[in-house]
Amino acid sequence: MRPIIRRMARMAALSVLLGAGGTTAGWAQESQVGSITGHTDAGKKLYRRYCIGCHGPSGDGAGENAPWIDPKPRDFTLAVFKCRSTPSGALPTDEDLFNAITRGFVTTYMPQWRPLTAQNRTDLIAYIKTFSPKWRSGKPGTPIAIPAEPAPTAESILRGRQLFQRMECWKCHGPAGHGDGPSAATLTDNKDLPIRPYDFSTGTRFMCGATNQDLYRIFMTGLDGSPMPSFADQLKPAEAWDLVHFLRTLQPIETREAAIWRDWLNTHARELKPIGPGGGGR
Amino acid sequence: MMLRIFAGSMLVVLVGAAGRGPFPAGTINGKVTYTGTPPKAHPIDMAKEPNCVTQHPTPVSTQDAVTGPGNSVRYVVVYIAAGDQGAPAATDTVHYDQKGCMYIPHVAAMQVHQPLAIFNDDPHSHNIHPLARINPEWNKSQPKGAPPIRTTWEQPEFIAVKCNVHPWMHGYFAVLATPHFSVTDTTGAFMLAGLPPGKYTVTAWHERFGTQSQEVTIGGAETKTVNFVLTAKPY
């Protein structure tokens, strides 16, 4: 009799742990990335060693280094995150936060944290989620669906270029993607601090990753807290891929899209109207 | 028969509780004015968006402190902050327009869960970015001709709204727990109607001039006048 009771108690304890450890984090604020469960107490120790200098003891982004850092460190008390797989306004998944810590942010002071183990990074996520009550009252959103990427063609790049014009990406990112559009100079984030649009001509990596899927995700989810909105309600998946293919031609690196585009331009360049007010057509 | 009478009386009770039935309903009205020095409204330079320049033959001014004759204050949200007796939820859709690179109205008041529809009437794109703190902060693009963005808010909050592309575009969503709210007009006047007898806390909120509250008791089908005098600071 007694071993049965003990076994039942063990199973109950296990189910509590599993329940709290899922992406639908409960009060315990555990985190779950793949098979790894993160814990707040371990995360707190790591946070106080590696993160506190910029993000501050209360997670509000006002650490002692913050005055010298621009853009400012993330304020975890708002629970607003740029790089998510979830729709604009939704909390990110634990995997999203794990990827952000792992990858760092190319245009900010946030470095990659690959030297920390996957367990360490997962523990940190559990602790970061204790800074905002939103993690207790809400659940992460459902990641957006990303259909398979069609092969890039000159036509898809051309359609993407028209979308770059029609969606008015150029107003911030500039006609050539240099981050110098007419609205670039006045952009501010959700704390009214100046922030720059991404300059496609200098970066080999984007804010939230380096792949075509990452690029798709950036403009379909928006970078919450920043001026970059979500285009999920405006672009069909096929159009989003067209835009991805065009954006790839703006980079300073050799991409397959850039090669296709260069070939096309060799014979058709004169057909294009420049991007900008009243332009962008063929 | 008895059942039908019973059902009928239940209906009367329900309608009465909703504040629309035969029970007396009171009204609170009044005006909001200021003392002190309000900031000067200044003309907005829309040169960055030629479409919007042509839509305003005379330049429009900033709307964060709109005052009128007799020191009246426009765009003050006046609402029942306490004493609400469970009135029916507001269900009509609140319209919020982006036109000529301005938000119309500058301040939109609504109850939690009340439908909100955001329109882009301009021949170009806007991004609508409600800077919510308690509610989720989102940011969506709405190009020319896009359908309205339909949404609701779950928690009471005064949410600043901005368009990052056009930095002068600035407005507010006043999301309230009560269905009894009013936004002052060009004369600073407001009216809260359909209030069953009871003791109420009436609060006036203005984005620059702060918040004030007063206690008001409604005894029956009467109209009580409550005026607010907010303190204006030049900046």
Side-chain angles (χ1 to χ4, degrees):
Chain A
M1 191 67 193
R2 284 177 102 193
I4 291 173
I5 292 171
R6 210 177 297 152
R7 206 177 306 153
M8 283 170 69
R10 217 179 293 149
M11 280 173 71
L14 193 66
S15 66
V16 165
L17 270 174
L18 287 173
T23 44
T24 55
W27 173 259
Q29 301 300 340
E30 304 291 271
S31 60
Q32 187 74 35
V33 176
S35 60
I36 304 171
T37 302
H39 304 284
T40 49
D41 42 353
K44 183 175 182 177
K45 289 184 189 127
L46 291 160
Y47 182 90
R48 296 187 77 81
R49 178 158 181 196
Y50 297 112
C51 318
I52 198 166
C54 296
H55 292 284
S58 56
D60 60 359
E64 59 181 315
N65 302 331
W68 292 278
I69 289 177
D70 193 23
K72 295 296 171 205
R74 188 100 312 235
D75 175 353
F76 298 125
T77 67
L78 300 178
V80 174
F81 295 91
K82 288 189 181 118
C83 295
R84 306 170 330 282
S85 59
T86 60
S88 184
L91 290 171
T93 64
D94 290 352
E95 284 84 355
D96 291 338
L97 298 176
F98 182 88
N99 291 340
I101 293 176
T102 305
R103 191 176 51 225
F105 290 90
V106 280
T107 57
T108 77
Y109 279 71
M110 172 76 176
Q112 298 183 356
W113 287 97
R114 287 174 208 272
L116 295 182
T117 65
Q119 178 67 56
N120 288 162
R121 283 174 262 156
T122 310
D123 289 337
L124 277 169
I125 292 158
Y127 184 60
I128 282 164
K129 292 186 344 186
T130 63
F131 289 125
S132 166
K134 286 190 178 176
W135 293 104
R136 292 198 289 272
S137 56
K139 287 195 241 175
T142 306
I144 62 162
I146 304 184
E149 179 183 354
T153 60
E155 286 70 34
S156 75
I157 294 169
L158 199 58
R159 286 193 300 269
R161 184 175 183 271
Q162 280 158 356
L163 287 166
F164 190 83
Q165 165 75 28
R166 189 151 56 84
M167 295 291 129
E168 300 182 14
C169 310
W170 57 272
K171 282 208 174 151
C172 298
H173 293 287
H178 292 186
D180 58 354
S183 294
T186 51
L187 293 179
T188 53
D189 66 9
N190 62 349
K191 291 193 160 184
D192 276 336
L193 296 168
I195 190 163
R196 283 186 190 160
Y198 183 76
D199 178 349
F200 287 89
S201 72
T202 58
T204 55
R205 290 185 290 149
F206 310 110
M207 179 66 97
C208 307
T211 68
N212 281 14
Q213 281 219 351
D214 294 328
L215 190 49
Y216 183 109
R217 204 179 284 113
I218 287 171
F219 59 76
M220 291 299 255
T221 63
L223 302 186
D224 282 0
S226 88
M228 177 67 191
S230 160
F231 289 81
D233 299 335
Q234 313 304 337
L235 296 176
K236 296 184 189 80
E239 294 177 312
W241 282 122
D242 290 339
L243 187 54
V244 166
H245 293 158
F246 172 68
L247 295 175
R248 279 293 195 184
T249 68
L250 303 175
Q251 290 187 278
I253 48 172
E254 180 64 7
T255 61
R256 54 185 179 148
E257 291 84 357
I260 295 167
W261 190 233
R262 208 167 40 239
D263 282 350
W264 190 87
L265 285 178
N266 278 339
T267 47
H268 297 83
R270 286 187 183 176
E271 298 170 23
L272 292 179
K273 278 192 224 163
I275 285 173
R282 191 178 168 183
Chain B
M1 184 62 191
M2 279 300 284
L3 196 66
R4 204 178 297 162
I5 291 168
F6 176 71
S9 62
M10 279 298 286
L11 191 69
V12 168
V13 167
L14 278 172
V15 170
R20 294 193 203 127
F23 289 85
T27 299
I28 299 173
N29 66 11
K31 276 188 87 160
V32 181
T33 55
Y34 71 85
T35 56
T37 313
K40 281 188 184 137
H42 54 86
I44 298 169
D45 176 11
M46 296 188 185
K48 260 184 200 174
E49 193 58 79
N51 285 326
C52 289
V53 175
T54 52
Q55 284 191 57
H56 302 287
T58 50
V60 277
S61 293
T62 49
Q63 297 185 318
D64 55 336
V66 181
T67 55
N71 287 6
S72 63
V73 188
R74 195 180 178 188
Y75 299 124
V76 181
V77 182
V78 184
Y79 63 100
I80 300 295
D84 207 345
Q85 296 171 31
T91 53
D92 53 316
T93 301
V94 176
H95 284 227
Y96 201 63
D97 285 310
Q98 298 157 99
K99 187 164 173 54
C101 294
M102 296 293 283
Y103 291 126
I104 304 168
H106 173 63
V107 176
M110 67 204 77
Q111 193 180 10
V112 285
H113 310 303
Q114 188 175 354
L116 167 67
I118 303 160
F119 295 81
N120 178 8
D121 303 327
D122 278 327
H124 53 82
S125 190
H126 288 293
N127 78 299
I128 181 135
H129 190 170
L131 298 163
R133 289 288 184 258
I134 302 165
N135 289 284
E137 174 193 332
W138 50 258
N139 182 5
K140 292 181 180 181
S141 170
Q142 197 174 26
K144 165 180 100 168
I149 294 172
R150 297 184 185 277
T151 189
T152 55
W153 298 100
E154 306 295 314
Q155 304 282 334
E157 181 179 5
F158 292 97
I159 304 170
V161 183
K162 78 173 176 183
C163 172
N164 296 96
V165 184
H166 308 111
W168 61 85
M169 288 178 72
H170 165 75
Y172 269 95
F173 295 146
V175 185
L176 304 160
T178 176
H180 296 292
F181 52 77
S182 177
V183 181
T184 57
D185 62 13
T186 47
T187 66
F190 68 89
M191 186 174 82
L192 304 170
L195 298 166
K199 196 175 171 196
Y200 295 99
T201 303
V202 184
T203 298
W205 172 93
H206 185 268
E207 61 184 290
R208 299 286 298 249
F209 304 159
T211 302
Q212 259 185 33
S213 294
Q214 295 187 47
E215 305 290 323
V216 184
T217 301
I218 294 287
E222 59 175 340
T223 297
K224 286 247 171 112
T225 297
V226 179
N227 294 319
F228 291 90
V229 183
L230 303 177
T231 306
K233 296 185 200 90
Y235 22 75

